[in-house]
Amino acid sequence: MRSATFGRQVAATDPHADTLGTMADSTGARSESDLPIEPVYDASALAGFDADAKLGAPGSYPFTRGVYPSMYTGRPWTMRQYAGFGTAKESNQRYHQLVKAGTGGLSVAFDLPTQMGYDSDESIAHGEVGKVGVAIDSLDDMRTLFDGLPLDKISTSMTINAPGSTLLLLYQLVAEEQGVAGDQLTGTIQNDVLKEYIARGTYIYPPRESLRLIADIFAYCHKEMPRWNTISISGYHMAEAGATPVQEIAFTIANAMEYVRAAQAAGLHVDDFAPRLSFFFVARTTLIEEVAKFRAARRIWARIMKEEFGAQNPKSMMLRFHTQTAGVQLTAQQPEVNLVRVALQGLGAVLGGTQSLHTNSFDEAIALPTEKAARLALRTQQVIAYETDVTKTVDPFAGSYVVESMTDEIEAAALALIQAVEDKGGAVAAIEQGFQKGEIELSAYRVQLEIDNGERTVVGVNRFVLDQEDRYEPLRVDPTIEADQRARLEALRADRDNDAVKAALGRLQDAARGTDNVLYPMKEALAARATGGEVAHALREVWGTYQPRETF
């Protein structure tokens, strides 16, 4: 049953909540979430603060201090670098370079046609093939993408949402060809479609049909791929669209609640799927607020899972998350300055207790990163892990006047915003009303005004500028990629058993019309070498497509 007041109840029973935001804003300084920042914090900032209730021990409820008792004192976070461009063969070469350089996990970027369920030879894909990620049309492409990479030893994250089931199954099929069973595979599919309607736009089906597909993925992985993280519920893209830290965690957790309800409605017990839920957040240059944001998010999620959904397994209450440094804060002007920004952002993510981290390359505001820039981004993480002392103790900011105060303030503000979503009927209903998108757009507009009028400094853009920028030679994508992908698709359709593909797609549509799990016939179709676009079109015919509501 949907709670109408859980957010207010948590805030009202918090003795510290009554004093939040009451200290005089003598300097006028404001956080990214537009909360006041004091020039000095002292013991009065934590009057009534109950450390046992608010913090607990690391690895224990409410997980404010981290989801594991030892955190990085035993080993560092997973250093996961996001890569993928052009053809599957080129991306495969970059993955081998990253593994050789010491990365602990791969994170795959797909091009826009793949993300939106279109094949490379469709007219709508023209000009976008291989541009912002790798083009994957079929099982043949996926074999090439992971050729020579030991899928039983590496962890793979795939940034794919609406067609997440398709790419997951292609990955499983390639692993099976390598002799790797589903229960040996570790990794994550982003699979967070709700944030696409809010901030990013690579959706296909209407929200309620998308939730059906996500619930089927939960059930499939629980049985077939138990070590796989079935969703990475993302605030990152909302932050990139302009969401404040409070909006980022509030709207992300509101979406997560909707996914939990969808899974429960499909007959799954919360403790059967919740331990495999994971999250994805941004790390900005505002280091202190970001640390507080991550800590507040863990505490909110733990309480919601325990009190709202009745989770019993502590793993169901752990907010485990991947972090990526803020792409939106990278500048094309004086791009080398981005190295400093990324180092600070990465440090904030680590101090905030991330489980894995991608550090952006300094040249990503201009083009896809060069090999040298990608290596420098990885080296940034390695310096933080092995040359600083932040990994020698767990949650080093615990008890800090400013961090604990900010954590409480962000928690209270986020709970109020989650409640606003709940009052509208939950995340899907709020999406259909344009609520989250409208709130984020207003925040983005405020920030842009501050940059334009000079209230907010962006080094190299509106202060400390150069009369003439140094010449930079970006990585360029081969313009023949699209033609090559078209030729590969033509050869595939001539070589495969098209009658078998058609029959398998028909069985997929039958499952979509009924209540059977669609991933089983989908896997059969992909094994027969159906393309990703053909699978998506088959489901479009049954479920339709989504038409967004204008927010202004």
Side-chain angles (χ1 to χ4, degrees):
M1 180 177 179
R2 190 185 305 280
S3 168
T5 59
F6 79 92
R8 298 191 190 98
Q9 288 171 344
V10 171
T13 57
D14 175 7
H16 189 47
D18 294 335
T19 64
L20 296 179
T22 61
M23 297 198 310
D25 184 16
S26 57
T27 65
R30 311 290 292 185
S31 73
E32 290 291 294
S33 298
D34 203 30
L35 299 170
I37 301 178
E38 289 301 303
V40 176
Y41 287 80
D42 57 25
S44 66
L46 299 182
F49 183 78
D50 185 340
D52 289 339
K54 286 295 190 74
L55 302 182
S60 300
Y61 181 88
F63 304 104
T64 310
R65 302 199 62 193
V67 293
Y68 303 122
S70 60
M71 289 303 290
Y72 313 131
T73 59
R75 64 181 178 86
W77 58 94
T78 298
M79 299 178 193
R80 189 184 299 282
Q81 288 304 105
Y82 187 46
F85 60 96
T87 65
K89 183 176 181 181
E90 288 176 297
S91 295
N92 175 264
Q93 292 169 351
R94 175 64 62 86
Y95 296 154
H96 279 280
Q97 292 164 358
L98 288 170
V99 169
K100 185 177 180 181
T103 187
L106 299 177
S107 187
V108 185
F110 297 95
D111 71 357
L112 280 176
T114 303
Q115 292 181 48
M116 300 190 74
Y118 294 107
D119 289 331
S120 297
D121 59 355
E122 297 189 55
S123 59
I124 196 171
H126 179 61
E128 292 292 343
V129 176
K131 286 293 177 66
V132 299
V134 61
I136 298 295
D137 291 314
S138 69
L139 180 58
D140 295 15
D141 289 334
M142 196 63 115
R143 286 191 191 110
T144 303
L145 185 65
F146 289 102
D147 182 46
L149 294 166
L151 300 189
D152 57 338
K153 293 181 174 62
I154 61 171
S155 171
T156 302
S157 173
M158 294 187 279
T159 304
I160 195 72
N161 293 284
S165 54
T166 303
L167 277 299
L168 173 68
L169 293 171
L170 288 173
Y171 187 84
Q172 184 188 16
L173 286 166
V174 169
E176 288 173 351
E177 290 176 353
Q178 291 186 4
V180 180
D183 60 5
Q184 295 177 271
L185 295 175
T186 60
T188 306
I189 48 172
Q190 193 165 100
N191 195 28
D192 175 12
V193 181
L194 292 183
K195 66 94 172 50
E196 298 294 323
Y197 305 109
I198 295 171
R200 194 160 174 270
T202 63
Y203 44 72
I204 301 175
Y205 320 111
R208 298 183 192 281
E209 284 72 18
S210 293
L211 283 175
R212 149 80 188 280
L213 182 55
I214 288 168
D216 281 357
I217 292 170
F218 288 173
Y220 179 87
C221 288
H222 178 64
K223 183 176 181 181
E224 308 292 344
M225 302 172 66
R227 299 175 65 195
W228 194 268
N229 296 318
T230 52
I231 194 167
S232 179
I233 307 160
S234 175
Y236 179 89
H237 303 92
M238 290 186 275
E240 293 285 280
T244 67
V246 164
Q247 290 172 334
E248 178 192 357
I249 63 170
F251 292 149
T252 302
I253 289 175
N255 286 348
M257 293 167 68
E258 200 82 343
Y259 293 132
V260 172
R261 291 181 180 122
Q264 288 180 321
L268 299 176
H269 187 275
V270 64
D271 287 327
D272 286 340
F273 65 87
R276 304 315 305 171
L277 302 180
S278 65
F279 291 77
F280 176 24
F281 294 118
V282 77
R284 301 169 179 83
T285 52
T286 44
L287 185 148
I288 297 174
E289 185 179 13
E290 291 299 285
V291 172
K293 176 192 77 177
F294 296 132
R295 300 168 89 250
R298 277 194 295 269
R299 195 155 69 203
I300 291 169
W301 182 244
R303 287 176 175 164
I304 286 174
M305 291 305 289
K306 182 177 182 178
E307 297 172 14
E308 181 80 359
F309 294 111
Q312 300 295 315
N313 185 346
K315 292 182 178 180
S316 298
M317 307 171 205
M318 293 180 182
L319 186 143
R320 297 171 301 109
F321 64 96
H322 170 69
T323 310
Q324 182 172 336
T325 55
V328 74
Q329 291 187 319
L330 299 177
T331 63
Q333 299 92 331
Q334 300 180 46
E336 294 84 356
V337 177
N338 293 327
L339 287 165
V340 181
R341 294 186 177 104
V342 168
L344 288 170
Q345 293 162 356
L347 180 61
V350 171
L351 290 170
T354 192
Q355 276 59 72
S356 64
L357 176 62
H358 163 84
T359 36
N360 290 327
S361 300
F362 75 90
D363 53 358
E364 287 187 48
I366 303 170
L368 289 168
T370 61
E371 180 183 343
K372 181 177 181 180
R375 186 171 60 249
L376 281 171
L378 177 60
R379 295 291 183 252
T380 301
Q381 295 199 48
Q382 291 166 336
V383 168
I384 294 171
Y386 300 111
E387 294 191 21
T388 76
D389 58 1
V390 298
T391 62
K392 292 179 171 61
T393 187
V394 177
D395 189 23
F397 279 180
S400 159
Y401 296 141
V402 62
V403 168
E404 299 300 358
S405 295
M406 279 194 175
T407 300
D408 283 359
E409 290 177 346
I410 290 171
E411 178 186 19
L415 285 169
L417 193 52
I418 292 169
Q419 187 62 57
V421 173
E422 291 288 283
D423 290 344
K424 293 181 180 299
V428 168
I431 286 168
E432 292 170 343
Q433 297 168 52
F435 174 67
Q436 301 98 317
K437 188 171 186 287
E439 292 292 299
I440 290 170
E441 288 172 352
L442 287 173
S443 296
Y445 180 66
R446 174 179 62 84
V447 169
Q448 191 58 53
L449 284 179
E450 291 172 358
I451 293 171
D452 291 346
N453 64 27
E455 291 179 41
R456 178 185 293 255
T457 295
V458 181
V459 174
V461 175
N462 62 1
R463 288 187 70 187
F464 315 111
V465 299
L466 296 177
D467 293 333
Q468 183 175 349
E469 293 284 336
D470 295 335
R471 179 175 175 78
Y472 174 78
E473 188 61 35
L475 178 73
R476 302 192 184 278
V477 176
D478 187 345
T480 66
I481 287 171
E482 184 172 332
D484 291 344
Q485 283 296 113
R486 286 174 173 269
R488 286 168 61 84
L489 282 165
E490 183 178 1
L492 177 142
R493 293 188 176 107
D495 182 60
R496 70 187 184 184
D497 184 340
N498 286 296
D499 289 338
V501 170
K502 183 178 179 180
L505 291 173
R507 288 188 286 275
L508 171 62
Q509 290 184 315
D510 289 341
R513 291 187 188 98
T515 59
D516 289 347
N517 192 313
V518 297
L519 268 73
Y520 290 94
M522 187 184 295
K523 184 182 180 185
E524 180 187 356
L526 293 168
R529 299 170 77 196
T531 67
E534 289 166 343
V535 167
H537 285 312
L539 292 176
R540 283 184 180 100
E541 290 178 9
V542 177
W543 289 342
T545 56
Y546 177 67
Q547 298 300 319
R549 170 178 173 166
E550 294 296 327
T551 55
F552 289 105

